[in-house]
Amino acid sequence: MARALSSFRPVFVAGVGLHPYRKYSPTPYVALGLAAVREALTDAGARWGDIESAYVASALLGMAPGRPMLRHLGASGLSITHVENASASGSSAFRLAALEVASGQSDLVVAIGVDKPAMVELGARQAVLDLLERDRVSAFTHFALLAQRYADAYGATPEDFARVAAKNLANGARNPYAQRREPRSVADIVAAAPLAGFLTSPQSCPVGEGAAAAILASEDGLKRLQFERKRTVRVLSSASRSERLYDDEGGFDAALTEETVRDALADAGVSPGALDVVELHDAFSVEELLYTERMGLCDPGDAPRRLKAGHFDIGGEVAVSASGGLIAMGHPLGPTGLGQIAEITRQLRGEAEGRQHPDAKTGLAHMVGLGAVCVAHVLQRDAE
Amino acid sequence: MGARIEHPTLYGEGAAGPALYGARCAACGRVSFPRQSFGCEGCGAYGEAMAPVELAARGTLLSFAFVRKHMGADIAAPFAIGEIRLDDGPVIRCTLADALDERALHAGQRVSGVLAHNPKSGADVLELRFAPEGR
């Protein structure tokens, strides 16, 4: 990377908003997206006319859903750019919005993620490469293969994987925006409908509908909004990478995560141990064990013990997926990465009612997207 | 034999048992699967540099998973998927032979491929399956 985000002018999160994630409903996506944007505008104390540019993240809605939604806020003529980056779409929209503010081109930019469940053709399907067993190795089987390897390496048990879901479902029960709001016991999760290998249905994220938005601001933008200084959260770094060749070919998700998060932490000047809240891509339970280790939150093989000891709970050493994560909050694709930003921003401001991690100063958002791509951001409560 | 191969661009009967159709990059030597000439993931060489090679269907089991939920009509759950490091280099994921005992599988095990009937695709269709050697 030639220049880190921190070498440009400072970028802040001024407002966040969500439409609760939930199962598919007949509500049009326009209503979901507008609810999230209006909540973010209110949170920032901004009017729509203040916003100079919008990045709209969606993976499933088809071509150009942005203006048909945003025109209902007043057709201001602002720049609109659509972002599709699979599960990381919302994270990439946030990154582009942050870079636009950092560059000095705009002072107030919104990133919006919105999606509804739909079947879409995957790009890889059109890559004219016939792959062995493509239809038989679904996402849960891919992660079941990783879970088996993890169990072989460290002696992990079915309960160790289920405990990730138990923690995240307990967190989701405290989050009014979460799709799954029922806590479940480890034993109940182990005994639930089997998917593949160690993984059962509650250990897989629900893909529903929802929306999330974040408004990014420069110093000038904050002044224009007369934004309350003690509520400001700064974007310290932004990292984005894609899969390369690894010695461990099957373990690319974790290897890619390690590289991307290492970049994000280095650019932020933050050590893994300094993180208070982490929102990570726990589409399947085993991912949280793999990623907490590869991010440096604990030693390899130690995540199950840490989890059991409560180190990753709200109120523990570092709150991992206080929102409920993808497993409980849900994974509507376009919104997901921005929902993480909303959760971290609320945690760092001390505004995460009912699930506040005490004295949260620094947070990490991490998403992996099909391909594979990985996007990570470090956010920090503003020092002043 | 008269039977049809399920994925004839991916594998078939080689000189010494089933073979997978891969490519070896003339520029960097990387062996990959499936066969393609778009370009080498290791170095970017493309076209004729991607020389066709046959990869022996033999390797080491890295991981496995018994799949208990499957939407497709091509096979009935439960079935097992193996992650296999081929002796010739690439890591592949392939369906394992039917009726394997889960407790008899372990990482590091030697596995090899067989062309087996897939009744779901028609009695005369053969697909590649892997199974522990000496089973």
Side-chain angles (χ1 to χ4, degrees):
Chain A
M1 197 180 310
R3 280 181 69 181
L5 183 71
S6 56
S7 73
F8 293 80
R9 66 177 184 164
V11 181
F12 303 91
V13 181
V16 293
L18 287 156
H19 183 289
Y21 298 174
R22 63 187 187 193
K23 284 184 182 167
Y24 177 86
S25 81
T27 307
Y29 82 87
V30 174
L32 307 177
L34 290 174
V37 177
R38 288 185 174 125
E39 189 172 281
L41 288 168
T42 303
D43 187 43
R47 291 169 300 113
W48 180 243
D50 295 327
I51 308 297
E52 298 151 88
S53 180
Y55 289 88
V56 181
S58 156
L60 304 175
L61 292 176
M63 192 189 285
R67 214 193 81 87
M69 167 176 72
L70 297 177
R71 69 195 180 101
H72 298 293
L73 293 155
S76 66
L78 84 173
S79 163
I80 297 176
T81 305
H82 293 85
V83 181
E84 189 276 299
N85 210 12
S87 294
S89 297
S91 311
S92 291
F94 182 77
R95 170 178 165 83
L96 293 171
L99 292 172
E100 182 167 332
V101 171
S103 74
Q105 188 157 43
S106 297
D107 288 315
L108 289 164
V109 178
V110 67
I112 306 149
V114 59
D115 253 320
K116 289 179 74 73
M119 298 301 291
V120 294
E121 180 88 38
L122 301 181
R125 286 259 172 195
Q126 301 177 56
V128 205
L129 262 191
D130 199 9
L131 296 181
L132 203 58
E133 314 299 21
R134 177 155 51 190
D135 296 314
R136 291 182 191 170
V137 182
S138 62
F140 61 68
T141 299
H142 167 72
F143 288 107
L145 289 165
L146 293 182
Q148 179 65 44
R149 287 214 266 157
Y150 189 87
D152 284 344
Y154 302 118
T157 64
E159 287 75 16
D160 289 331
F161 298 108
R163 197 167 284 113
V164 171
K167 169 180 67 70
N168 293 349
L169 289 167
N171 291 349
R174 298 157 72 176
N175 180 358
Y177 299 101
Q179 181 166 346
R180 286 176 171 162
R181 304 208 56 208
E182 295 291 327
R184 293 179 77 162
S185 71
V186 171
D188 184 38
I189 292 164
V190 170
L195 298 175
F198 290 101
L199 305 182
T200 59
S201 155
Q203 298 175 60
S204 158
C205 65
V207 176
E209 65 182 29
I215 294 169
L216 291 119
S218 64
E219 295 267 13
D220 288 345
L222 291 180
K223 279 193 199 115
R224 203 178 305 162
L225 301 178
Q226 297 179 294
F227 195 83
E228 199 181 349
R229 195 74 209 187
K230 71 180 176 63
R231 291 180 75 238
T232 55
V233 166
R234 183 166 170 188
V235 185
L236 287 185
S237 67
S238 173
S240 177
R241 293 186 60 86
S242 66
E243 181 183 339
R244 55 183 185 84
L245 298 178
Y246 305 102
D247 292 338
D248 174 13
E249 290 178 39
F252 61 85
D253 309 87
L256 174 58
T257 290
E258 180 177 321
E259 296 176 339
T260 311
V261 170
R262 189 197 296 139
D263 281 356
L265 291 173
D267 289 347
V270 166
S271 69
L275 293 169
D276 302 301
V277 288
V278 171
E279 292 284 320
L280 58 77
H281 181 271
D282 61 330
F284 296 90
S285 56
V286 60
E287 291 183 87
E288 184 170 312
L289 303 180
L290 293 169
Y291 301 155
T292 49
E293 294 174 3
R294 299 294 280 271
M295 288 173 177
L297 299 180
C298 65
D299 291 334
D302 203 28
R305 186 186 68 79
R306 297 274 187 151
L307 185 62
K308 196 172 181 179
H311 291 196
F312 300 149
D313 288 351
I314 295 168
E317 289 187 1
V318 48
V320 177
S321 295
S323 68
L326 277 59
I327 282 178
M329 185 160 172
H331 183 25
L333 275 87
T336 310
L338 283 158
Q340 295 182 326
I341 297 295
E343 177 67 17
I344 292 169
T345 298
R346 287 181 171 142
Q347 290 284 347
L348 300 184
R349 288 173 177 169
E351 295 176 357
E353 267 177 57
R355 59 182 189 290
Q356 179 65 48
H357 182 69
D359 198 29
K361 290 192 183 73
T362 308
L364 170 77
H366 157 270
M367 282 296 285
V368 177
L370 194 64
V373 297
C374 186
V375 182
H377 288 95
V378 177
L379 276 61
Q380 194 166 61
R381 187 201 302 167
D382 204 30
E384 294 171 62
Chain B
M1 166 161 76
R4 181 170 68 80
I5 300 287
E6 178 79 56
H7 296 293
T9 61
L10 294 176
Y11 54 78
E13 198 64 64
L20 294 110
Y21 302 142
R24 176 180 283 109
C25 176
C28 76
R30 178 179 162 80
V31 178
S32 59
F33 175 84
R35 183 174 295 171
Q36 50 88 12
S37 56
F38 296 144
C40 173
E41 211 173 344
C43 73
Y46 64 98
E48 287 178 6
M50 300 294 281
V53 286
E54 289 198 358
L55 312 173
R58 296 169 67 93
T60 306
L61 190 66
L62 300 178
S63 186
F64 60 91
F66 278 74
V67 180
R68 298 193 171 82
K69 181 181 172 184
H70 182 63
M71 308 299 261
D74 56 314
I75 191 169
F79 60 90
I81 294 289
E83 184 173 77
I84 298 147
R85 165 79 70 183
L86 296 178
D87 293 345
D88 288 329
V91 172
I92 64 161
R93 286 161 171 189
C94 187
T95 312
L96 300 180
D98 287 334
L100 287 178
D101 184 348
E102 191 157 359
R103 290 161 303 183
L105 293 175
H106 58 87
Q109 202 163 23
R110 293 289 306 163
V111 291
S112 58
V114 290
L115 292 170
H117 286 284
N118 177 3
K120 290 263 185 185
S121 304
D124 59 342
V125 176
L126 294 172
E127 65 174 42
L128 184 64
R129 299 289 190 93
F130 275 75
E133 286 183 353
R135 168 176 169 265

